[in-house]
Amino acid sequence: MFLSAAMANVAITFYISFQYISGAYELYTYVHPIGMASVLLIYPSFYQYVLMITGQRQFKLRLFLPGLGMGVASAFFFWGLLSSEGQVYFLTEYRINPEVQSWLLSANMMFRYFNLLLLGRTELKTK
């Protein structure tokens, strides 16, 4: 059961990433925060699964808190602070060539950097 949920998360992550890579930015704006959370939940999900099959049945919620927290925070920063046009601009132009134009875009970019650092830390922590 747990492995099925982990694999479904990977499928969701793949679908969301495909939307961004294919240039469907208008659709991607609706799923961006979910994508940020789902990426951060991949490694802990499989780590938890390995713990479960090696005899440790206790669910470790603390492994999933960074991903869930980043998803909620991303929803606030991305959906709450940026307009629809600002979201598309952030995804298409600003992420590639950030220039300080407004504190809203800068806050989203700093949040993106924090997400990338957390992703790297999560990967190293579970190895």
Side-chain angles (χ1 to χ4, degrees):
M1 247 347 224
F2 191 84
L3 180 59
S4 298
M7 293 303 292
N9 181 50
V10 171
I12 289 168
T13 303
F14 174 78
Y15 176 75
I16 290 171
S17 299
F18 177 75
Q19 296 308 314
Y20 181 77
I21 292 168
S22 68
Y25 301 115
E26 288 80 17
L27 175 62
Y28 184 77
T29 59
Y30 293 108
V31 294
H32 175 68
I34 298 165
M36 288 187 89
S38 69
V39 166
L40 290 172
L41 294 176
I42 291 174
Y43 294 112
S45 296
F46 288 107
Y47 183 73
Q48 178 67 45
Y49 176 69
V50 169
L51 289 177
M52 293 171 94
I53 63 173
T54 57
Q56 297 180 18
R57 297 280 181 201
Q58 181 183 6
F59 183 75
K60 298 185 184 249
L61 180 63
R62 68 179 171 78
L63 296 173
F64 299 90
L65 291 178
L68 296 173
M70 290 299 281
V72 170
S74 176
F76 170 76
F77 279 101
F78 191 72
W79 287 335
L81 296 180
L82 296 177
S83 65
S84 296
E85 297 82 22
Q87 293 169 357
V88 172
Y89 175 72
F90 177 77
L91 295 172
T92 58
E93 302 290 328
Y94 195 80
R95 284 174 71 170
I96 298 166
N97 187 18
E99 299 173 3
V100 179
Q101 296 175 354
S102 75
W103 72 271
L104 300 174
L105 292 169
S106 296
N108 273 281
M109 196 63 171
M110 288 299 128
F111 183 73
R112 181 182 184 313
Y113 290 147
F114 182 69
N115 183 41
L116 293 173
L117 289 172
L118 189 59
L119 179 61
R121 183 188 174 280
T122 303
E123 181 180 353
L124 293 173
K125 184 83 167 174
T126 57
K127 285 186 177 182

